[in-house]
Amino acid sequence: MNNPGNHNDYKQQIADYFNRRTNYDQEGDFHPIVAHHLIQYADIQPGQHILDIATGTGLVAIEAAQIVGNSGSVVGVDLSEGMLRRSHSKIAAARLTNIELKQGDIETIEFPTNRFDRIFCCCGIPYIPNIPTNLRRWHNFLKPGGIIALTGIAETASIVSNILIKIAKNYGLELPIWSEVTGTPEKCRNLLQTAGFEQIQVTEEQFGDYFSLESAENLWEMILNNPLSQMNFVQHLNSDQLNAAKALYLAELETLVTQQGIWNDLTIYYMIGRKPIVP
């Protein structure tokens, strides 16, 4: 996601969307597993200081806080008040005192230069505008030798989103591409390298599965409720056009049915980069 049309409206939609999704960390194992694996790749040590961008319900922040201990600290930043309320509750239940949560816009919030040993952004990149510019800002927040740890989405991932992007073009609309900056391992490496990181590692993990044609209608409703689709697709079409678009969507899926069902790729990239010790 690079440049949404109306910046402020878009960010309000993002906040509203995640205010309604405060139980997403209980929707199966996907989010907890991805957060845990990203932490493992980042090699956190006791006493370190951590920044967790798009912290959500604290999946990364809480596990990181348990590793760094009381001699370390974690700062979690998120747009969504609802997400942070959920995170506060989980932090209290875990009796952690080394986490500070901030509600704010990661594009404008400021931290001292060379403040953090590790910076995380787990499953947040598709929702953050101007990722290359923001990565350079986050680079400044890291100590020399510090590590940034991000997740990205492959260009093959999410058959539903890719079909919707194709359908939108029939109406002269261009949907943001979730995987635009992270669609391949080469794109991931280039993204971090351009922002000034070195010793870059990109690791791939597949979370895909088959789904039935009968479940496609629910997936359609889910994707249309996403703010990226709302702003760039739903709001531009009347009810008849939306019904026609849904028919195209179902027809497209029918061509992909196999004996096992419809394969929905969900390839995640774990991206790790280090800030040079010597500029």
Side-chain angles (χ1 to χ4, degrees):
M1 176 68 190
N2 276 330
N3 291 298
N6 187 316
H7 217 52
N8 291 331
D9 286 351
Y10 166 75
K11 289 185 177 181
Q12 186 58 54
Q13 286 199 24
I14 291 292
D16 291 344
Y17 173 66
F18 281 103
N19 284 340
R20 300 190 300 269
R21 283 198 67 202
T22 55
N23 66 340
Y24 83 96
D25 54 357
Q26 299 172 323
E27 298 171 353
D29 295 333
F30 171 75
H31 288 287
I33 290 173
V34 172
H36 176 65
H37 288 178
L38 186 64
I39 287 170
Q40 289 182 313
Y41 286 120
D43 188 29
I44 299 174
Q45 300 297 318
Q48 289 185 331
H49 302 286
I50 311 295
L51 174 61
D52 184 25
I53 294 165
T55 191
T57 65
L59 287 171
V60 167
I62 289 171
E63 185 173 348
Q66 291 168 335
I67 296 171
V68 301
N70 290 332
S71 60
S73 66
V74 177
V75 177
V77 179
D78 204 283
L79 272 176
S80 166
E81 181 182 1
M83 285 282 176
L84 294 179
R85 281 199 303 270
R86 166 81 171 147
S87 186
H88 273 296
S89 177
K90 291 166 65 178
I91 291 167
R95 298 184 177 180
L96 293 168
T97 59
N98 59 344
I99 303 179
E100 178 186 6
L101 299 179
K102 293 179 177 287
Q103 183 182 4
D105 184 350
I106 196 58
E107 284 199 286
T108 58
I109 198 168
E110 292 293 340
F111 293 103
T113 300
N114 303 335
R115 170 69 177 84
F116 299 101
D117 298 284
R118 300 287 187 271
I119 294 179
F120 289 90
C121 184
C122 186
C123 299
I125 282 181
Y127 298 99
I128 299 174
N130 305 314
I131 282 296
T133 299
N134 278 301
L135 273 177
R136 289 189 286 272
R137 291 186 71 242
W138 305 346
H139 183 280
N140 291 334
F141 301 156
L142 267 179
K143 295 177 182 179
I147 289 174
I148 193 163
L150 316 168
T151 61
I153 301 174
E155 62 187 10
T156 55
S158 183
I159 186 64
V160 172
S161 297
N162 288 332
I163 290 174
L164 191 62
I165 289 168
K166 180 179 177 181
I167 292 171
K169 292 180 180 179
N170 294 338
Y171 298 93
L173 301 172
E174 186 173 349
L175 279 176
I177 301 172
W178 283 53
S179 61
E180 184 172 2
V181 296
T182 65
T184 64
E186 292 73 24
K187 283 187 174 183
C188 293
R189 292 188 188 95
N190 182 66
L191 184 68
L192 291 183
Q193 187 174 29
T194 302
F197 295 97
E198 62 180 16
Q199 298 181 37
I200 297 164
Q201 299 177 10
V202 180
T203 306
E204 178 180 321
E205 187 168 12
Q206 177 61 258
F207 289 91
D209 200 358
Y210 289 93
F211 62 87
S212 67
L213 186 60
E214 289 73 23
S215 67
E217 188 166 348
N218 290 334
L219 290 172
W220 170 261
E221 298 302 327
M222 180 185 72
I223 200 71
L224 290 192
N225 285 328
N226 188 287
L228 301 185
S229 303
Q230 280 279 337
M231 178 167 283
N232 297 280
F233 185 70
V234 177
Q235 294 177 3
H236 296 277
L237 303 182
N238 59 40
S239 59
D240 289 340
Q241 289 172 319
L242 282 174
N243 287 334
K246 183 176 180 179
L248 289 172
Y249 158 80
L250 293 172
E252 186 80 21
L253 285 175
E254 284 180 0
T255 69
L256 303 174
V257 175
T258 69
Q259 288 185 337
Q260 295 171 285
I262 299 168
W263 172 248
N264 183 42
D265 181 285
L266 186 50
T267 301
I268 296 294
Y269 297 126
Y270 300 96
M271 300 176 282
I272 306 297
R274 189 178 296 271
K275 181 175 180 176
I277 295 176
V278 179

